[in-house]
Amino acid sequence: MAGLDIVLASVDMILPASLDNVMLMDHSPSYHNRRVFLFLQGPHGPFFSTLGRMLRASGAEVWRVGFNAGDQAFWFDSDRYVPFRGTPEEWPETLVDLIVGKGVTDLVLYGDTRPIHARAVEIAKSRGVTIHVFEEGYLRPWWVTYERNGSNGNSRLMDLSVEQMHSALQLSDTQTPPPSHWGDMRQHIFYGALYHGFVLFLNRKYRNFKPHRDLPVSKEFRLYFKRLSLMPFHRIMRGLATNRVRRTGNPFHLALLQLGHDSSVQNHSDYASMSEFLEHTISGFAKGAPAHHHLVIKEHPLENHREPLRKRTRELARAHGIADRVHYVPGGKLAKLLDEANSAVTINSTAGQQVLWRGIPLRSFGRSVYDKPEFVSRQKIEDFFADPDAPDKRAYRQYRQFLLDTSQVPGGFYSRRGRRQLLRNAVDMMLRSKDPYQSILRDKEAAAPQLRIVK
């Protein structure tokens, strides 16, 4: 990747100085304690490479499989990089060969639903390989999620009740409010644009690569670049739209949009697009909400307008005769709107956690780790807009504290400061024999640790 080091240095993407100077000593672990980590696709940017470097400093062996030029560009140890240039049909056999040939004990990935990852998880489970899953924080923006075996709709949290969580804790009186800003949104968008730029222009050696999303890489790159360049304009437009809503004085409800292509929507809900969710929401609001109430459609901060959501909102509002009561707000900061909202609806956005932390009624329509009957309404959408059920605030505080004590790791993937904070905890969590939930649940409630199958 000619010129990559210059590009990264120019945008402050050099690895944290404290890690740059780490001497990777040979700790010579014994055979029985030997850990071999195999990394698959990670978040855009250098986080996985930095994480791998620290794992090597702990004495582990680390390898990375790359599926395109973007993966290769952000992995800084070419001697430990394995390019996969085969077809999707060849991937399972290749992975088995890697696990057996290199004695892989641990698999590391970002998200567990893209096809290559979903298949890898199946294979790893069948062979007793420990699976480490990183995801965006359930309590965004200043946390990252770390779990074993699955995340979101595949998370262990889906099977845990609030009562089980409460019994595992001595409930803390300390309340940690969600930050009202996205800690590294600019870096997140930049890395997305850069990653897709590498794939678009330097992917000649990976001709069989197929993105897990339905858009061509060229369009992905243009959308990320457009979003990055228009961020100042969007900030102004968001501020104006937010102030218009607040100045009306009318009670309002929030509809929290997500990215239609996101795995949490595609794999953990019955919606195929945000347009479907908009139709459901606006129709329900028109039927049930009091006539003086307004509806605010809040765009996702990373929305890149694959769907014409603003136009679709106007069309649906006019069709239901409520055009003067529906507002569309560009993506970005949410706190000012949430602080004054009557309720919120979403598919399964992590922003639902901010709604619940404020004690605001929430109705979700997808599978999510916070979809617990104690604090998420089960009403029909028109009934919810008419008179929403309030959440059990105490139950949600218990749930939130459980997350903070287990799977939520302070830090972020994209900014240098965020990575530095994340790494202080992530490596030790990965090296422990117990997963974050086993470490705190009672023995009878914790799943048995995975056994390594030796052949």
Side-chain angles (χ1 to χ4, degrees):
M1 296 296 162
L4 174 61
D5 292 339
I6 297 175
V7 173
L8 295 182
S10 66
V11 292
D12 191 29
M13 287 179 236
I14 300 300
L15 299 176
S18 58
L19 290 179
D20 288 339
N21 298 323
V22 167
M23 295 182 63
L24 303 182
M25 299 174 63
D26 182 6
H27 291 259
S28 301
S30 68
Y31 176 79
H32 294 291
N33 295 325
R34 181 171 173 265
R35 302 286 292 273
V36 180
F37 288 82
L38 180 65
F39 282 64
L40 301 187
Q41 289 192 294
H44 300 149
F47 171 68
F48 260 19
S49 186
T50 312
L51 178 63
R53 181 174 293 193
M54 186 172 281
L55 282 168
R56 288 198 299 277
S58 77
E61 185 177 338
V62 177
W63 294 88
R64 169 73 185 269
V65 179
F67 300 83
N68 58 50
D71 294 341
Q72 185 172 350
F74 288 112
W75 186 257
F76 301 112
D77 184 358
S78 58
D79 292 335
R80 297 288 173 168
Y81 179 81
V82 180
F84 176 75
R85 301 189 176 105
T87 64
E89 293 74 23
E90 295 170 321
W91 167 235
E93 183 179 354
T94 299
L95 178 60
V96 171
D97 289 344
L98 284 170
I99 291 174
V100 174
K102 298 189 181 301
V104 172
T105 60
D106 297 78
L107 188 71
V108 188
L109 38 81
Y110 172 68
D112 61 344
T113 57
R114 64 185 69 181
I116 56 173
H117 285 181
R119 192 70 184 95
V121 168
E122 293 176 6
I123 293 169
K125 285 182 178 180
S126 72
R127 293 182 167 271
V129 173
T130 300
I131 302 162
H132 308 267
V133 184
F134 285 91
E135 254 293 3
E136 304 293 343
Y138 294 146
L139 302 178
R140 296 187 197 183
W142 200 234
W143 289 275
V144 158
T145 297
Y146 167 73
E147 296 179 286
R148 305 268 176 96
N149 296 323
S151 64
N152 291 312
N154 298 322
S155 168
R156 176 73 199 284
L157 291 169
M158 300 296 292
D159 300 320
L160 289 176
S161 68
V162 174
E163 183 179 354
Q164 287 175 301
M165 297 177 189
H166 177 56
S167 68
L169 296 170
Q170 288 187 343
L171 184 61
S172 172
D173 291 331
T174 303
Q175 297 183 26
T176 307
S180 59
H181 66 280
W182 287 78
D184 50 10
M185 183 56 63
R186 176 174 54 84
Q187 295 94 328
H188 190 164
I189 295 173
F190 176 83
Y191 278 127
L194 188 59
Y195 178 90
H196 286 94
F198 285 127
V199 178
L200 178 61
F201 298 112
L202 300 173
N203 219 47
R204 186 178 65 258
K205 295 181 180 180
Y206 297 89
R207 296 185 184 278
N208 290 316
F209 171 69
K210 294 182 178 180
H212 63 284
R213 294 170 178 165
D214 57 1
L215 278 189
V217 173
S218 58
K219 191 166 185 180
E220 284 266 20
F221 171 73
R222 289 196 299 271
L223 289 172
Y224 268 106
F225 188 80
K226 179 181 177 182
R227 185 71 188 178
L228 182 65
S229 61
L230 292 178
M231 282 186 76
F233 174 74
H234 286 158
R235 188 179 302 114
I236 295 171
M237 297 302 294
R238 180 177 68 248
L240 293 173
T242 299
N243 288 335
R244 279 197 300 271
V245 172
R246 300 174 72 194
R247 281 200 305 267
T248 65
N250 295 77
F252 65 88
H253 307 258
L254 279 173
L256 304 173
L257 300 186
Q258 297 167 242
L259 299 176
H261 61 269
D262 192 84
S263 62
S264 60
V265 174
Q266 295 297 320
N267 295 284
H268 302 304
S269 85
D270 296 325
Y271 296 96
S273 66
M274 281 299 105
S275 294
E276 289 184 9
F277 176 66
L278 277 175
E279 186 170 359
H280 185 199
T281 299
I282 293 174
S283 173
F285 179 82
K287 293 175 182 176
H292 63 292
H293 284 211
H294 286 206
L295 177 65
V296 178
I297 309 296
K298 182 62 172 62
E299 188 180 81
H300 188 276
L302 288 174
E303 178 58 54
N304 49 27
H305 307 113
R306 298 175 177 208
E307 299 179 69
L309 298 179
R310 185 189 295 272
K311 178 183 177 182
R312 188 64 181 142
T313 296
R314 288 197 301 264
E315 293 172 348
L316 288 167
R318 283 197 299 266
H320 288 280
I322 55 173
D324 59 336
R325 297 167 55 200
V326 178
H327 311 265
Y328 190 93
V329 177
K333 293 183 180 180
L334 181 62
K336 289 183 179 179
L337 286 171
L338 267 183
D339 289 341
E340 299 179 13
N342 277 35
S343 74
V345 295
T346 185
I347 297 178
N348 50 17
S349 170
T350 55
Q353 303 268 11
Q354 294 192 39
V355 177
L356 293 169
W357 182 83
R358 288 169 168 81
I360 298 170
L362 176 68
R363 180 67 169 96
S364 64
F365 294 93
R367 295 171 290 281
S368 68
V369 296
Y370 61 77
D371 186 19
K372 307 294 183 184
E374 290 87 349
F375 37 80
V376 175
S377 172
R378 297 289 191 266
Q379 296 168 279
K380 292 182 178 180
I381 192 166
E382 55 266 32
D383 296 335
F384 179 80
F385 281 126
D387 185 20
D389 290 338
D392 182 332
K393 296 180 183 179
R394 179 175 174 81
Y396 180 70
R397 287 198 299 270
Q398 294 169 356
Y399 164 86
R400 179 184 172 83
Q401 192 62 50
F402 183 84
L403 261 62
L404 288 171
D405 286 358
T406 54
S407 63
Q408 300 306 285
V409 190
F413 297 125
Y414 306 104
S415 69
R416 180 190 289 189
R417 188 180 76 166
R419 291 194 299 273
R420 185 183 299 125
Q421 187 173 15
L422 176 56
L423 286 163
R424 289 193 181 106
N425 296 290
V427 172
D428 287 342
M429 294 177 74
M430 295 173 72
L431 293 174
R432 290 177 189 139
S433 60
K434 293 183 177 181
D435 72 26
Y437 305 125
Q438 290 173 329
S439 299
I440 195 170
L441 288 169
R442 294 180 303 189
D443 290 341
K444 67 178 182 180
E445 294 171 332
Q450 289 185 322
L451 299 177
R452 174 72 174 156
I453 300 175
V454 180
K455 294 186 177 181

